[in-house]
Amino acid sequence: MGSGNDNSAGPLLLQQVNTVPADSIEELTNKPPEFAIIPEPVSLLKTNGYFTLPENIVIMAHNGPELKNIVDYLQQKIAVPTGKFVSAVSASAPTATIRLLLNTKDNQLLGTEGYQLSVTPTLIVIKANKPAGLFYGVQSLLQLFPKEIESREQIDDIKWTIPCVEITDYPRVGWRGLMFDVARHFFTKQEVKQYIDNMVRYKYNLLHLHLADDEGWRLEIKGLPKLTEVGAWNVKKVGEFGTFSPPAANEPRTYGGFYTQEDIKEIISYAKERFVDILPEIDVPGHSLAAIASYPELSSTGGSENPRVRSGEKIMDWSKGAPPIAMIDNTLNPANEKVYSFLDTVITQIAALFPFEYIHMGGDEAPINYWQKNDSIKALMQKEGLKDMHQVQGYFEKRVQKIVESKGKKFIGWDEILNGNMPASAAVMSWRSSANGINASLKKHEVVMAPQTNVYLDLMQGDVITEPKVYNSVRLSKTYEFDPVPPGADPKYIKGGQGNLWTEQVYNIRQAEYMTWPRGYAVAESVWSPKEKKNWNNFVAKMELHFKRMDVAETKYAPSVYDPIFKVSRSADRQLMLELSTEIEGLDIYYSFDNSFPDRFYPKYTEKLTPPKDATQLRVITYRGKQPVGRMITMPVSELNRRAGIR
């Protein structure tokens, strides 16, 4: 993973120039940028002319395994869609089309992940201090090509030209991650690789795998076979997760899966070739039902409840806020020495498997109601002088941290661990708010920013009527506001930031893609690009061109940004009033109350609406000019009334 330094204060050598090509009328945006690189480079200068791929393409890079991986990657990316012959040489060759060069003397501006990309009419050169920089330069190069470069099959009759440019680029922060929850629903080894492939297009360098939770234990641990024999499987349910009926005793527990240690080695190797580190997470002491179902003696009830891996039925009562009240015991017993022996075995094998320097041990949302009734925990409190359950969890976290550090790794946990007065050597992933991360940085904890207010990718990104229902929403514009180094934080301790994709309502890889993109573009730009280079309107214009690239790549994404925003109120005489707006500029909203499907010849929204007396539903669609861009949305008037409340 790159340096954690904040390079945003580095000089801007060149200024970006955006011009509009004459043939842009057909594009989705009114004024599409000529350059649509995400994340936005530090500096980009358009120079004269265009580069056209020749029939025979030669990539020159010096020998070395890391450079060979980059060359192989670029070869495939170019050869498949273009159908052209692409060869590689290790010595300087006058025929080279693309040259990948490591600097003989470090360019201090670029750091470990920066690059310089030069495109002239006859030659493409990428320079970097380290191989990672060359790889990120390749990503920017590919984004300069026509969208068809993303195809997995040959496409004919494309003019493979790119404008000549000079780019100097390097990341704002070193930790640029996405969290993928493979515990709630199991995603195959191939699907994880697919997720990695999409990440690296946008210069992410860290994949956080959430490997264990109430719904499944996903990692083979030798000597603890029940973790995967029992803990990896539940009853398949379809519908709204969290509201499922409890499974009957005889329903087959065949839904799930796990990664063998060989699978994990393969995923790590695949990620490493793409300069991605993998952070493993085992969430304890809460969220541990899969472990407890496998080894019931680890819980505070000792297995008297006959615990089963959760299949999506309700197991927590959040009506009184955090911490939740557990309806069944899903929390490890901090007073049981067997718990620490169990965790020592697990952490020993994780430390040996994963090269990354950190191990994430969770620590969030741990219920305390079973702890409060447990005699061994009461005795522990008396023995250790622990005053409350925060201190009980703090005792647990400190012991787990010692185990992690004894294996030569660094401990990181969710921001609830701060309740236990953890030593500064414990790193914090701040999810409840940026404020927790700011406070942690001031106490000299290393911090990764992942606030739910901006970067929780499982939350709804459009109106609840169009999305799988989750407890909250984070629209794309809110994600784009994410600042991994917020004002008030000590930047020396901010490692970086990441977006988190929890998968309770995400049943397959297509939905995982839908929830990640385009908000994943916004997170990528927030953690890579200089803060002063971020521009919402420019980002939206680039996003729309990347939608077209993802269409070619057959990667799913959410068009929610085009959907109207519904705001309801009541007038003084209790009439329902509806205000419609759009997240991005330049869209027109057309509507109907007569049950038909509106197009641009229907009434256009211009001011607040009052539904006709007997209307039962509103239909809306957004257009840009003559082209529909949004989805047809049907909104029951009864739902609008419900939202407005009764006065």
Side-chain angles (χ1 to χ4, degrees):
M1 126 123 25
S3 76
N5 296 331
D6 181 350
N7 290 321
S8 59
L12 296 184
L13 299 184
L14 304 163
Q15 294 300 316
Q16 175 163 335
V17 178
N18 281 336
T19 59
V20 182
D23 61 356
S24 65
I25 303 302
E26 295 302 314
E27 296 291 353
L28 276 176
T29 52
N30 290 332
K31 293 182 179 179
E34 185 171 6
F35 302 103
I37 296 176
I38 298 176
E40 184 70 23
V42 170
S43 63
L44 182 154
L45 179 70
K46 183 184 178 185
T47 55
N48 293 327
Y50 288 82
F51 172 90
T52 301
L53 276 179
E55 283 306 309
N56 292 316
I57 299 157
V58 179
I59 302 172
M60 192 279 285
H62 293 303
N63 283 326
E66 287 187 300
L67 264 60
K68 183 181 185 305
N69 289 333
I70 299 169
V71 170
D72 290 348
Y73 178 92
L74 183 55
Q75 268 186 298
Q76 184 182 26
K77 282 286 188 181
I78 293 176
V80 171
T82 67
K84 295 178 183 291
F85 181 75
V86 185
S87 60
V89 295
S90 58
S92 185
T95 58
T97 314
I98 302 171
R99 295 180 180 172
L100 306 179
L101 304 175
L102 288 176
N103 294 323
T104 53
K105 182 181 178 184
D106 275 6
N107 179 335
Q108 295 302 312
L109 184 67
L110 301 182
T112 58
E113 297 183 286
Y115 65 92
Q116 290 173 310
L117 168 61
S118 172
V119 180
T120 69
T122 57
L123 183 65
I124 295 169
V125 179
I126 304 174
K127 293 181 180 178
N129 296 331
K130 302 291 182 184
L134 294 179
F135 187 70
Y136 299 132
V138 164
Q139 300 308 324
S140 291
L141 171 63
L142 291 170
Q143 290 187 28
L144 292 172
F145 278 103
K147 62 182 182 299
E148 289 79 9
I149 200 75
E150 300 292 348
S151 176
R152 286 179 288 214
E153 55 192 24
Q154 185 173 327
I155 299 185
D156 298 322
D157 301 321
I158 298 295
K159 196 175 181 184
W160 298 104
T161 64
I162 58 176
C164 293
V165 292
E166 297 289 334
I167 296 175
T168 298
D169 200 13
Y170 44 82
R172 182 182 179 197
V173 295
W175 184 302
R176 305 182 304 281
L178 290 175
M179 197 266 327
F180 192 14
D181 170 10
V182 296
R184 269 45 187 267
H185 299 282
F186 178 66
F187 292 83
T188 66
K189 177 173 61 177
Q190 194 55 45
E191 288 168 340
V192 173
K193 291 179 180 179
Q194 184 176 326
Y195 201 77
I196 292 169
D197 283 337
N198 287 328
M199 289 173 58
V200 299
R201 288 185 170 113
Y202 300 101
K203 303 183 177 74
Y204 284 102
N205 65 1
L206 183 123
L207 176 63
H208 170 177
L209 284 181
H210 185 77
L211 290 164
D213 213 295
D214 298 319
E215 296 74 22
W217 184 285
R218 304 298 179 208
L219 178 62
E220 174 193 19
I221 300 294
K222 297 181 189 302
L224 294 169
K226 289 183 181 178
L227 286 175
T228 46
E229 290 171 2
V230 175
W233 309 96
N234 61 22
V235 177
K236 183 174 176 62
K237 298 274 189 175
V238 177
E240 193 173 304
F241 185 97
T243 67
F244 295 148
S245 56
N250 60 351
E251 284 189 77
R253 291 184 167 266
T254 55
Y255 180 65
F258 64 93
Y259 309 108
T260 66
Q261 295 197 4
E262 290 306 308
D263 289 336
I264 288 293
K265 289 175 186 175
E266 186 180 326
I267 291 169
I268 290 169
S269 175
Y270 190 86
K272 182 178 172 58
E273 289 173 3
R274 288 151 182 79
F275 301 93
V276 171
D277 286 311
I278 296 187
L279 168 70
E281 180 191 356
I282 301 295
D283 199 350
V284 291
H287 290 279
S288 294
L289 188 54
I292 288 168
S294 306
Y295 296 97
E297 64 272 20
L298 301 177
S299 73
S300 298
T301 51
S304 60
E305 291 188 323
N306 188 27
R308 297 287 189 93
V309 178
R310 185 190 186 199
S311 301
E313 66 276 17
K314 185 176 180 181
I315 64 168
M316 293 286 151
D317 177 1
W318 286 93
S319 63
K320 294 181 174 59
I325 298 169
M327 297 158 66
I328 59 173
D329 189 7
N330 75 332
T331 309
L332 301 179
N333 181 357
N336 186 347
E337 285 302 314
K338 289 180 181 176
V339 166
Y340 301 104
S341 298
F342 165 81
L343 290 174
D344 188 88
T345 299
V346 169
I347 293 167
T348 297
Q349 294 185 38
I350 287 175
L353 268 178
F354 291 86
F356 191 51
E357 59 186 321
Y358 293 85
I359 296 177
H360 198 309
M361 295 304 299
D364 63 314
E365 300 177 335
I368 60 173
N369 50 302
Y370 281 94
W371 286 358
Q372 289 168 327
K373 296 182 284 189
N374 183 275
D375 289 339
S376 66
I377 292 175
K378 291 174 186 174
L380 175 72
M381 293 175 73
Q382 191 169 7
K383 178 186 171 189
E384 298 291 336
L386 307 175
K387 296 186 176 70
D388 57 28
M389 292 301 156
H390 282 319
Q391 293 190 5
V392 171
Q393 184 169 347
Y395 168 86
F396 171 86
E397 301 293 352
K398 288 168 189 167
R399 287 197 60 177
V400 174
Q401 181 181 2
K402 283 183 180 174
I403 297 172
V404 169
E405 291 177 347
S406 75
K407 314 304 176 189
K409 298 292 186 179
K410 295 180 181 178
F411 172 98
I412 186 168
W414 300 111
D415 57 47
E416 284 98 328
I417 66 171
L418 293 174
N419 296 335
N421 194 28
M422 295 294 283
S425 56
V428 174
M429 193 167 278
S430 182
W431 76 272
R432 289 179 296 174
S433 69
S434 291
N436 289 317
I438 292 169
N439 293 337
S441 75
L442 299 177
K443 294 177 181 175
K444 298 182 167 41
H445 293 274
E446 289 187 328
V447 177
V448 176
M449 287 290 188
Q452 61 176 336
T453 49
N454 299 84
V455 296
Y456 261 40
L457 306 180
D458 57 308
L459 301 184
M460 297 176 291
Q461 49 201 319
D463 193 90
V464 64
I465 207 155
T466 67
E467 301 278 338
K469 188 177 179 182
V470 190
Y471 62 91
N472 211 338
S473 298
V474 173
R475 284 189 170 267
L476 177 65
S477 54
K478 188 68 177 175
T479 301
Y480 195 67
E481 293 172 5
F482 173 50
D483 185 352
V485 192
D490 186 338
K492 185 166 67 171
Y493 293 99
I494 303 294
K495 299 289 292 178
Q498 67 180 45
N500 291 345
L501 179 64
W502 302 102
T503 60
E504 287 96 331
Q505 306 292 355
V506 179
Y507 293 84
N508 56 65
I509 189 64
R510 297 295 285 176
Q511 185 67 6
E513 291 174 346
Y514 175 94
M515 298 303 286
T516 303
W517 314 109
R519 290 181 295 187
Y521 305 160
V523 176
E525 195 147 293
S526 297
V527 293
W528 179 282
S529 305
K531 190 174 181 179
E532 64 274 13
K533 296 283 287 192
K534 289 180 66 180
N535 178 288
W536 169 247
N537 289 333
N538 184 52
F539 171 76
V540 168
K542 295 189 300 180
M543 171 202 76
E544 294 190 293
L545 296 178
H546 279 257
F547 282 175
K548 291 186 168 188
R549 299 179 79 88
M550 283 196 158
D551 287 338
V552 175
E554 298 183 298
T555 300
K556 197 170 186 182
Y557 57 86
S560 314
V561 69
Y562 297 121
D563 294 343
I565 299 167
F566 299 85
K567 184 179 178 183
V568 291
S569 59
R570 292 203 183 273
S571 62
D573 60 355
R574 294 190 295 174
Q575 285 278 357
L576 177 66
M577 304 295 291
L578 172 63
E579 187 178 346
L580 300 175
S581 60
T582 56
E583 195 172 0
I584 58 179
E585 296 176 0
L587 303 185
D588 297 316
I589 305 171
Y590 296 92
Y591 67 92
S592 74
F593 282 106
D594 61 8
N595 303 329
S596 61
F597 295 88
D599 58 21
R600 70 182 186 89
F601 296 97
Y602 274 64
K604 181 163 78 170
Y605 174 83
T606 56
E607 59 185 359
K608 284 185 182 180
L609 300 173
T610 298
K613 180 181 177 183
D614 296 318
T616 59
Q617 63 184 21
L618 164 70
R619 282 201 173 108
V620 294
I621 189 168
T622 53
Y623 272 67
R624 182 181 281 118
K626 295 183 178 182
Q627 297 300 315
V629 292
R631 298 176 281 198
M632 183 74 68
I633 296 176
T634 301
M635 172 69 75
V637 173
S638 59
E639 170 67 9
L640 295 174
N641 271 308
R642 187 192 67 77
R643 294 183 188 187
I646 304 298
R647 281 187 56 189

